Amino acid sequence: MTRLAAIVSAGALAVSACGDSTERAGDAAGKAAGKTADASARPVDPASVRANELGRVPVLMYHQIVPKPASVYDRTPAEFRAELERLAREDYVPITATEFVTGRIDIPAGKHPVVLTFDDSTISQFALGPDGAPRPDTAVGILLDVARRHPGFRPVATMFVNSAPFNDPDGRRTLTWLHRNGFEIGNHTATHVNLGSSNAATVQREIAANQKAITAAVPGATVRTLALPFGIKPNPPSLAVHGEHGGVRYQHLGVFLVGSNPSPSVFDASFDPQNIPRIRSQGPKGPDANFASTRWLNDLASGKVDRYTSDGDPTKISYPRGTTAQIAPAWRKLARPY
């Protein structure tokens, strides 16, 4: 039984939304990095790599990548590159938001998953040059360069976009490139509206209209995840998960917050797909630095916070018997405590 089969047997919503487009994207990303997970590879003793697939996962949040940051949410290109280099050195492997929430964390033994997310679809994150390739000074360009320098560091991320993403009026040119190259396109509402102060009709219109624009730009794409603007939930919160407007229905497998801490593993009983915390990328100093990426990556590296470490086997979920985390009922058939 594989992890995906476990979702099926549990009757999870994730299965119905995991179509061929995600398969193609994941395959393309793995090939771009020169390595894909191989379930037929020789099994590794989970104890030998200190596997802990109930450990915490950093879901990093980025906004502007600019030479002169205007707010605590911005990072310079040098700072962004340095953080990616650190992740590569510390054996992290990027996965998409959908791969995370569906438990498709097929990375080599001893490696750690990290989810890179970008909000607001700005041109500092992604822009195509005259040659049709990503500009090297953008976040995507930098990510691709770091991946080339570190084989196995997958050049994938989840881009939570608004309308006219990356200054591309209909999104066709930019979103098509991202989709074809293994990046996930998530929903961030059409106009970055505060969902908490909006009525139900407005909430559903904002989400459905943006989904419609995304799928019109990239036929065959499926929008499976949502990042809440300002981290604020609608009332009722279920409207962030599913709804309908103008004949367009949406159904999200994961809803991402602004947050301030690493996420529980998707296999952990405490994991809540409607409230997935993220960590703002930031250095060791500045406002709320104690809740930002440098602090949490330090704590994960030191062992102060238990970190997700892969066993390399997509058919099992390995973890130390002494862990305080509890495996979720839907995943118990795959449990391999040691």
Side-chain angles (χ1 to χ4, degrees):
M1 175 182 263
T2 66
R3 289 177 180 171
L4 188 57
I7 301 177
V8 175
S9 66
L13 177 64
V15 175
S16 64
C18 289
D20 291 342
S21 60
T22 296
E23 291 286 351
R24 290 194 299 269
D27 291 345
K31 291 175 182 177
K35 188 180 183 78
T36 56
D38 183 0
S40 66
R42 177 179 292 183
V44 172
D45 176 8
S48 69
V49 294
R50 299 181 178 180
N52 183 6
E53 295 182 317
L54 296 184
R56 297 274 166 162
V57 176
V59 181
L60 300 182
M61 178 182 67
Y62 300 96
H63 287 79
Q64 294 272 26
I65 307 298
V66 291
K68 295 181 179 181
S71 82
V72 73
Y73 286 92
D74 301 343
R75 303 230 70 184
T76 69
E79 289 169 339
F80 177 64
R81 179 182 292 275
E83 186 155 86
L84 294 183
E85 291 281 356
R86 174 182 182 171
L87 292 170
R89 288 195 309 271
E90 295 184 1
D91 290 327
Y92 283 95
V93 177
I95 62 175
T96 67
T98 290
E99 287 172 336
F100 177 49
V101 300
T102 57
R104 299 177 63 204
I105 310 176
D106 295 345
I107 62 177
K111 301 289 187 178
H112 320 290
V114 60
V115 185
L116 308 176
T117 68
F118 295 83
D119 290 8
D120 303 345
S121 51
T122 66
I123 58 172
S124 72
Q125 297 170 5
F126 178 57
L128 294 171
D131 60 353
R135 280 176 27 194
D137 59 340
T138 63
V140 170
I142 294 168
L143 173 57
L144 292 172
D145 185 57
V146 171
R148 282 190 290 268
R149 296 168 185 268
H150 298 274
F153 190 78
R154 297 174 70 216
V156 299
T158 298
M159 318 300 284
F160 289 114
V161 306
N162 306 113
S163 61
F166 314 107
N167 285 7
D168 183 6
D170 60 12
R172 291 183 184 276
R173 187 166 182 256
T174 53
L175 297 187
T176 296
W177 189 99
L178 290 167
H179 181 71
R180 287 178 176 172
N181 286 276
F183 289 75
E184 178 180 358
I185 303 166
N187 203 324
H188 200 41
T189 74
T191 66
H192 204 278
V193 68
N194 182 333
L195 298 179
S197 60
S198 302
N199 61 35
T202 299
V203 170
Q204 293 175 92
R205 181 176 67 249
E206 281 281 331
I207 297 173
N210 201 39
Q211 175 178 292
K212 182 178 180 179
I214 293 168
T215 56
V218 189
T222 303
V223 181
R224 300 182 175 91
T225 54
L226 168 76
L228 297 169
F230 313 107
I232 300 174
K233 304 174 189 177
N235 184 23
S238 61
L239 289 177
V241 181
H242 55 81
E244 182 272 337
H245 180 80
V248 177
R249 295 181 180 274
Y250 61 87
Q251 180 81 51
H252 299 126
L253 303 180
V255 177
F256 290 77
L257 310 174
V258 169
S260 58
N261 54 275
S263 172
S265 166
V266 65
F267 309 127
D268 189 322
S270 69
F271 178 76
D272 181 356
Q274 297 184 28
N275 294 280
I276 303 171
R278 294 189 290 170
I279 303 168
R280 186 179 70 241
S281 178
Q282 184 180 331
K285 299 179 181 180
D288 297 323
N290 199 40
F291 302 100
S293 61
T294 300
R295 175 268 172 106
W296 284 115
L297 291 176
N298 288 345
D299 285 356
L300 289 163
S302 70
K304 186 175 181 179
V305 174
D306 288 340
R307 177 169 60 177
Y308 186 116
T309 301
S310 174
D311 64 2
D313 184 350
T315 69
K316 299 294 181 182
I317 299 169
S318 300
Y319 52 92
R321 291 186 184 275
T323 185
T324 58
Q326 298 292 321
I327 193 165
W331 301 104
R332 284 178 185 160
K333 290 183 178 179
L334 304 185
R336 181 169 58 182
Y338 66 91

